[in-house]
Every structure is written in C-alpha cells, then in structure tokens.
Amino acid sequence: MASWWQPGQLLFVGFEGTTVPPDLARLLGQGRIGGVILFARNIEGPAQLRGLVRALHEAAPPDVPLLVGIDQEGGRVQRLKAPWTVWPPMRALGRRDEPTTTAAVAEALARELSDLGIGLDFAPVVDVDTNPANPVIGDRSFAAEPARVARHAAAFVTAMQGAGVAACAKHFPGHGDTRSDSHLELPRLPHDLDRLREVELVPFAAAAKAGVASVMSAHVLFEALDRKRPATLSPPVMQLLRGELGYDGVVFSDDLEMKAVADHFTPEQRVRWSLEAGLDALLVCSKADLRDESLRLLEHLPDALVEPALRRVVALKQAYAPRHRDRVLGPAKPKAAPGLVADLFAAPEALRAPEPEVIVPPYPEHEELARRIREDR
C-alpha cells in the first residue's frame, strides 16, 4: 500500500505530450510523486484534457490521491484557452479596484478547474509591479501599489479556496522590481529589509492572513540578505516568510529547471538547499531526467529534513486532493466485507457510485464577466 509519507510526495512534476507517459504512470502508481502540473503543451481540447486528468487520477493510489495543478492566472499566463473562459490580466482587476469583482473571477476560475479535477491553481501573482521594465511580471500583477495588491490578493485567495481550489501566492519575496527574467538568468535586487517590509512583503502578509494554501518562491537573489543564494535556496530570505510572517503552509519552489538556478547550482544543491531554506514542494516542470534525479535525492535525504515538509504537503493534499479525485472518478468504492461479492457491477443499482457530472465549456456567465471587465477599463 502506498503511503502519504514517501519523500516523493514533495515532488510536483510536468511532462511532455497529451497522454500520461508510462514512466510517470509507474511513479504515480507507486505513490512516489505528490502532484502534476499541466501546461498548454498537454492540452488539445476539453474531451482530451478531461481524459488526461482522469488518467492521472486513476494512476495514483486511491489512498494517496494526486493533486493536479496548473498556471491559470488570466492574461498572458493561462493554460486553458477557448472554449474555456479567456480572462483579462489581473492588472485589469487592479485598475477597477473592486475586490468583489476579483473574488468573482477567482471563484469562476476555481469552478472551471474543479470541473476538470484540477485542485491547485498557481495563482495569484502578488508581486508588486514597481518596475515598468520588468520583462516577466508586468500586467500579471494587480498593481504597482502594495496596499492595492494586498486587497486583491486576499480577495482572490479567499474566493478561490472557498470554491474548493488551492491558491498559490507568488513569487516570494517579490519578483516585481527585477529587470530580468528568472527563466533565462538570475535576477539580482539590492533591497534591504526596510524596503521589503514596505513594499514586497505587504501582499504576502495579506495572502498569509487570508489563509493561502501555498506560496511560491522567487529565483531572485536579494543581495542585502544573501549574496550567494537566490530566495528559493536562502534560509535568511525564507525565514521572512516562516518567521516574520508566521506562515506555516506549503511553500513551492518555482521550476527548478529555470536558468536562474539551473545555471548556477547542481541538482543536489537545488533539492537539498530548497528544503534547508524552508521550502516544502519542488517543481520540475518538464525534464524526466531531472525529475528522476530529484526523486532519488529526496529519497536519500535525512528524515529530519524531509518530515516537516511532508507534514505540510500531506495537509495540503488531504484538504484538496480527494475531492478532485472524486470529482472525476466518483467517490472511492468501499471495500467488500469478507465473504461478500466485490464485483460492484453486479451490485444493485442503488449501491453503485454515481457517475461524476460532466461540465462542458464554454461557461456563458463567466464569459460575460470577463467581457464586462475588459470593456469597463
């Protein structure tokens, strides 16, 4: 029987293609992968995606259900396109500055994801967009003012999680003032603690107070706090989240394949130093070889390093994974008592698990909401 407490539960992975690769299916079946993140490359359309998510859930052990995640922010970063709702960027919500509208969008996003069996959205971006030259954040951010970002971050998190999908506030402690893209190189910022407390940390504090299920780290070097390691790998930086903000939820790394860390640190350093810094879950978004190496490294780390992270990841998954597994597969079938026929197909109709409801996009009410936001800028 698979266990919640395998070190591989700390690993969330992506893959190439529109079906589940056999090597990934094998690891899922052994309970050695905690979650999967989907990208546009995995999606052809509603029927195919529904089948893919179903296959992912079916591959994982029923007693250790999988958590499926996606980047569905709106604007430039949304993996689900038409016929799902195409949402404006979060900047459009920040301009309106109506937290109730932001909450309505987050609830609608959660509905469309939940209907597919996706239980984790790597959103919202709560970086404060203070640098117009920033190549990677821009209108993904709600605003350039910390208080405004904080208002909308809290509204988004509360509504999304109230609708049953885990949110993720990113990118801690702040990617909004960088001039470079951490996918391509390691950004550096000189900001000291006073600046971070005044600007970058404000929305993360609001998200933490709202009970955000997870936070994602930034592959950004904050030179005043740690001259050698970016936030993802830096105990002094991550202590701001764990200590100063008192956050005890799951902290994800950003993708460990990104050049900001991959060009400077070995796989062993990326895995071990992430956990030593205070992170819990590691993202490896496409490469099977790095996935397998990260899994091997995790499974050889000391229990004392792995167990605090496992505690948090297990709590997150227990809160969000079973409901989405049941959403696509139906409730788990009870085990037959000794001596009874276990074939549920032979059971009376009333004893069979109900077929999950199939919701097919588009969502007219969501499209109307998105249209209204675009036109009311």
Side-chain angles (χ1 to χ4, degrees):
M1 179 178 293
S3 169
W4 286 102
W5 303 100
Q6 295 192 67
Q9 287 291 305
L10 305 182
L11 193 57
F12 282 60
V13 303
F15 58 93
E16 302 290 339
T18 56
T19 59
V20 184
D23 56 341
L24 176 58
R26 174 179 56 82
L27 293 173
L28 293 175
Q30 295 167 349
R32 294 169 70 202
I33 297 292
V36 167
I37 177 170
L38 298 175
F39 291 87
R41 64 176 181 261
N42 306 124
I43 301 166
E44 292 178 338
Q48 172 269 335
L49 181 56
R50 186 173 296 279
L52 174 60
V53 175
R54 181 183 182 92
L56 288 166
H57 282 297
E58 286 177 332
D63 49 329
V64 189
L66 190 68
L67 188 57
V68 180
I70 198 167
D71 292 299
Q72 190 70 358
E73 300 173 11
R76 286 179 286 157
V77 181
Q78 49 188 324
R79 312 308 183 193
L80 302 179
K81 304 291 179 65
W84 292 280
T85 308
V86 178
W87 297 100
M90 293 298 100
R91 178 61 52 80
L93 294 172
R95 286 196 189 102
R96 292 174 66 95
D97 202 15
E98 298 170 355
T100 54
T101 302
T102 297
V105 169
E107 184 176 354
L109 279 165
R111 165 77 187 283
E112 296 189 22
L113 297 180
S114 187
D115 284 345
L116 290 164
I118 296 173
L120 168 63
D121 190 5
F122 289 103
V125 168
V126 303
D127 301 307
V128 183
D129 182 38
T130 52
N131 187 344
N134 191 311
V136 69
I137 301 301
D139 65 2
R140 296 168 66 192
S141 166
F142 288 110
E145 304 83 28
R148 185 175 298 212
V149 178
R151 282 196 297 278
H152 292 275
F156 188 105
V157 165
T158 301
M160 174 161 279
Q161 295 183 178
V165 171
C168 181
K170 59 190 187 184
H171 307 78
F172 186 86
H175 205 320
D177 202 33
T178 62
R179 289 181 173 271
S180 55
D181 182 348
S182 53
H183 292 85
L184 306 176
E185 58 183 307
L186 177 58
R188 297 170 178 268
L189 287 174
H191 303 332
D192 61 15
L193 271 176
D194 288 341
R195 155 67 191 234
L196 291 175
R197 288 169 178 150
E198 182 180 339
V199 179
E200 279 79 10
L201 297 186
V202 174
F204 288 99
K209 186 175 180 180
V212 70
S214 64
V215 170
M216 182 181 288
S217 67
H219 296 330
V220 176
L221 191 73
F222 288 82
E223 296 171 323
L225 303 179
D226 191 328
R227 299 191 64 83
K228 295 183 178 180
R229 300 186 188 183
T232 299
L233 310 178
S234 172
V237 176
M238 297 311 301
Q239 182 59 23
L240 295 176
L241 181 61
R242 293 300 193 196
E244 187 158 324
L245 301 188
Y247 181 71
D248 193 39
V250 167
V251 181
F252 281 92
S253 74
D254 208 341
D255 185 5
L256 293 182
E257 298 174 14
M258 290 164 60
K259 290 181 178 294
V261 290
D263 284 356
H264 302 278
F265 305 97
T266 67
E268 183 173 7
Q269 290 170 332
R270 280 174 266 166
V271 169
R272 187 181 190 108
W273 290 358
S274 291
L275 295 187
E276 288 179 345
L279 274 70
D280 307 299
L282 308 181
L283 278 173
V284 177
C285 289
S286 65
K287 296 180 179 178
D289 56 348
L290 182 58
R291 175 200 70 197
D292 293 344
E293 176 69 0
S294 299
L295 178 59
R296 184 190 69 79
L297 291 165
L298 282 170
E299 291 179 339
H300 286 83
L301 288 177
D303 289 348
L305 184 55
V306 171
E307 286 174 358
L310 275 172
R311 173 181 62 80
R312 297 186 185 100
V313 170
V314 167
L316 172 71
K317 291 189 60 178
Q318 288 177 335
Y320 290 97
R323 71 178 76 182
H324 291 95
R325 180 188 188 279
D326 293 351
R327 184 73 183 83
V328 294
L329 300 183
K333 298 172 182 177
K335 295 179 181 179
L340 296 180
V341 176
D343 183 2
L344 294 183
F345 291 102
E349 191 70 29
L351 296 182
R352 295 183 189 171
E355 285 294 318
E357 181 185 8
V358 176
I359 308 295
V360 179
Y363 295 75
E365 67 278 17
H366 298 175
E367 291 184 331
E368 172 60 22
L369 174 59
R371 182 198 63 75
R372 181 165 55 85
I373 294 167
R374 287 191 184 93
E375 292 182 356
D376 290 352
R377 286 185 183 182

